[in-house]
């Protein structure tokens, strides 16, 4: 088949490291992975999906590392798809095998980088590559897979840890900043040390409606940028971000604080490595904001509890979404909090139930010990 050139994916750019990315032809993607995993136990099993389309779906794993139960479950779900075709490739396949009809949370990690896919194979994960789709699905996945980025591993461990902390903070603030600020700003009695956060001028529109209009406006602007030719995208961004915002403040439609905090939330959203996870966080932010507007702190607490319950009840091929926080696994949690030096990582994650737990040769295991 005709293919486009192999180039770095836009959504997973790094300052250092490989510039290769997956393409729409599955065999090329397999070769990009095999170049990094020259293990004779690497397997890619080809299945056909779609009675009419006969789309190639490749299940990739390392035979003596990956859990046979997970591999068998993945293949069984793929084989049970009974449709004419999956025209949207990997995304259609995900909805069939993962069953996320009403849950906005992604339960399979997308990657367009062969080095990221290879790293997950060594950890015992299973890859799903669909022909005509320039990405691989990684299962099982937890919430922390959507907060990490390859850039952390192309920097020194202390720098990678710092980047991880800052990114996680940005994701958390993108969820709670606006609801918390709204409750504080509309409170009648504020302590002096935080009294400055309130809006100096209330504006002609109620504060809750301002935030709702700004959130929807940001989504419209984002969609407009996606559909705008590259030559005009910068101009549209300047018009939307500067001119419209400035005029809205001058006319009294919005307060400056509302635009400021919405912009901070937008930055946190764009800092989220997974676009699917960032969109799920956006929906959860609506829930938090609605609870805060209606019932203030009680509504915020109740909505936050609902979000935690949804995450706690979500599973990816039997793996709890919040592992290793729930169920609690302190050594594994440390590996998420800190970016460990690669030579110190000698044990594979227990969540994938690998057959071979050790990532080091047998003669080096006593010297290095385990980190979990």
């Amino acid at each position: 088949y005709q293919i486009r050139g192999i180039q770095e994916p836009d959504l997973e750019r790094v300052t250092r490291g490989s510039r290769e990315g997956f393409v729409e032809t599955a065999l090329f993607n397999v070769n990009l992975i095999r170049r990094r995993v020259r293990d004779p136990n690497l397997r890619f099993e080809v299945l056909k999906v779609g009675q009419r389309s006969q789309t190639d779906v490749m299940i990739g794993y390392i035979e003596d590392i990956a859990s046979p139960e997970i591999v068998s479950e993945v293949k069984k779900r793929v084989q049970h798809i009974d449709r004419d075709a999956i025209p949207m490739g990997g995304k259609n396949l995900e909805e069939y095998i993962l069953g996320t009809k009403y849950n906005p949370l992604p339960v399979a990690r997308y990657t367009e980088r062969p080095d990221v896919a290879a790293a997950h194979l060594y950890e015992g994960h299973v890859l799903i590559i669909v022909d005509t789709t320039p990405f691989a699905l990684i299962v099982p996945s937890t919430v922390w897979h959507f907060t990490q980025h390859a850039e952390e591993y192309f920097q020194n461990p202390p720098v990678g840890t710092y980047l991880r902390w800052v990114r996680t903070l940005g994701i958390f603030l993108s969820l709670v900043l606006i609801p918390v600020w709204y409750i504080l700003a509309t409170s009648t009695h504020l302590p002096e040390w935080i009294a400055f956060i309130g809006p100096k001028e209330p504006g002609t529109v109620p504060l809750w409606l301002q935030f709702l209009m700004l959130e929807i406006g940001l989504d419209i602007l984002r969609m407009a940028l996606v559909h705008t030719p590259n030559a005009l995208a910068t101009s549209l961004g300047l018009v939307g971000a500067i001119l419209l915002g400035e005029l809205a403040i001058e006319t009294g439609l919005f307060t400056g604080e509302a635009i400021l905090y919405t912009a901070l939330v937008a930055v946190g959203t764009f800092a989220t490595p997974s676009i699917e996870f960032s969109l799920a966080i956006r929906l959860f932010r609506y829930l938090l904001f609605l609870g805060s507007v209606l019932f203030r702190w009680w509504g915020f607490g109740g909505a936050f509890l609902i979000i935690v319950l949804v995450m706690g009840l979500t599973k990816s091929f039997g793996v709890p979404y919040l592992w290793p926080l729930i169920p609690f696994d302190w050594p594994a949690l440390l590996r998420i909090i800190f970016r460990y030096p690669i030579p110190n990582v000698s044990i594979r994650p227990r969540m994938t139930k690998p057959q071979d737990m050790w990532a080091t040769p047998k003669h080096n295991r006593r010297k290095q010990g385990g980190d979990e």
Side-chain angles (χ1 to χ4, degrees):
Y1 299 105
Q2 294 293 323
I3 66 163
R4 60 181 172 87
I6 295 175
Q7 56 191 8
E8 185 178 18
D10 289 333
L11 294 178
E12 297 178 89
R13 292 183 179 274
V14 294
T15 54
R16 302 290 182 190
S18 171
R19 305 299 177 188
E20 292 181 332
F22 289 142
V23 294
E24 284 74 14
T25 305
L27 285 176
F28 282 80
N29 299 337
V30 169
N31 286 332
L32 288 173
I33 295 174
R34 280 197 175 276
R35 185 181 180 185
R36 292 166 171 80
V37 187
R38 299 186 180 185
D39 190 328
N41 291 304
L42 176 63
R43 299 286 184 268
F44 281 98
E45 298 188 30
V46 183
L47 305 175
K48 299 287 186 181
V49 175
Q51 296 179 2
R52 295 182 183 275
S53 67
Q54 294 290 298
T55 304
D56 291 329
V57 177
M58 300 185 178
I59 313 298
Y61 59 95
I62 299 179
E63 191 173 32
D64 59 344
I65 295 179
S67 166
E69 291 81 9
I70 295 178
V71 173
S72 176
E73 182 65 21
V74 171
K75 291 193 293 185
K76 183 178 72 173
R77 294 188 187 187
V78 172
Q79 290 170 340
H80 283 177
I81 298 175
D82 185 18
R83 296 288 290 189
D84 282 350
I86 48 173
M88 296 301 174
K91 183 55 186 174
N92 286 160
L93 185 83
E94 179 200 355
E95 295 184 10
Y96 281 112
I97 68 174
L98 299 178
T100 53
K101 296 179 180 178
Y102 307 107
N103 190 342
L105 293 169
V107 291
R109 179 177 180 178
Y110 290 88
T111 185
E112 299 180 45
R113 296 185 61 90
D115 49 0
V116 172
H120 282 81
L121 283 173
Y122 287 124
E123 291 183 350
H125 292 268
V126 177
L127 299 183
I128 305 173
I129 298 176
V130 182
D131 195 31
T132 72
T133 302
F135 58 77
L137 286 87
I138 301 172
V139 294
S141 298
T142 67
V143 64
W144 316 109
H145 284 96
F146 306 104
T147 63
Q148 298 176 2
H149 192 271
E151 178 69 16
E152 299 165 8
Y153 293 92
F154 288 111
Q155 303 293 340
N156 290 331
V159 178
T161 299
Y162 168 75
L163 294 176
R164 182 174 296 181
W165 289 359
V166 171
R167 184 180 295 111
T168 305
L169 177 63
I171 295 171
F172 181 74
L173 289 179
S174 71
L175 175 64
V176 304
L177 182 60
I178 287 180
V180 169
W181 185 85
Y182 175 82
I183 295 174
L184 293 175
T186 54
S187 298
T188 55
H189 301 289
L190 280 179
E192 293 184 1
W193 61 277
I194 59 172
F196 67 91
I197 70 169
K200 297 178 181 179
E201 298 178 0
T204 58
V205 178
L207 197 56
W208 66 268
L209 186 56
Q210 291 184 37
F211 278 119
L212 186 61
M213 293 171 63
L214 286 170
E215 285 278 6
I216 296 175
L218 272 178
D219 283 335
I220 294 175
L221 180 60
R222 181 180 60 85
M223 289 186 287
L225 287 171
V226 169
H227 303 307
T228 303
N230 291 334
L232 302 176
T234 302
S235 301
L236 178 61
L238 290 173
V239 170
I242 299 177
L243 296 181
L244 293 181
E246 186 67 24
L247 289 174
I249 294 175
E250 290 182 0
T251 58
L253 183 63
F254 297 135
T255 64
E257 290 84 356
I259 292 182
L260 169 63
Y261 288 105
T262 303
L264 290 176
V265 165
V267 172
T269 300
F270 295 141
T272 307
S274 168
I275 188 171
E276 294 82 15
F277 188 69
S278 69
L279 292 175
I281 291 294
R282 186 183 298 270
L283 293 181
F284 286 144
R285 185 166 65 247
Y286 279 117
L287 177 63
L288 275 177
F289 185 65
L290 179 62
S292 302
V293 171
L294 295 178
F295 305 106
R296 305 185 66 75
W297 287 115
W298 286 105
F300 177 86
F304 193 83
L305 180 60
I306 291 174
I307 295 171
V308 173
L309 287 175
V310 170
M311 290 187 175
L313 295 175
T314 300
K315 290 186 177 182
S316 175
F317 284 90
V319 176
Y321 203 63
L322 292 178
W323 184 91
L325 189 60
I326 301 175
F328 188 73
D329 188 335
W330 176 244
L333 186 60
L334 282 177
R335 285 182 56 176
I336 292 174
I337 297 175
F338 299 98
R339 195 290 235 184
Y340 275 28
I342 297 302
N344 292 349
V345 181
S346 56
I347 303 291
R348 307 185 204 278
R350 281 192 285 270
M351 59 163 285
T352 58
K353 301 177 182 179
Q355 300 178 70
D356 182 6
M357 287 293 299
W358 291 86
T360 56
K362 293 182 179 180
H363 62 275
N364 288 334
R365 293 177 183 177
R366 291 184 178 180
K367 298 179 182 179
Q368 295 186 5
D371 61 348
E372 289 190 7

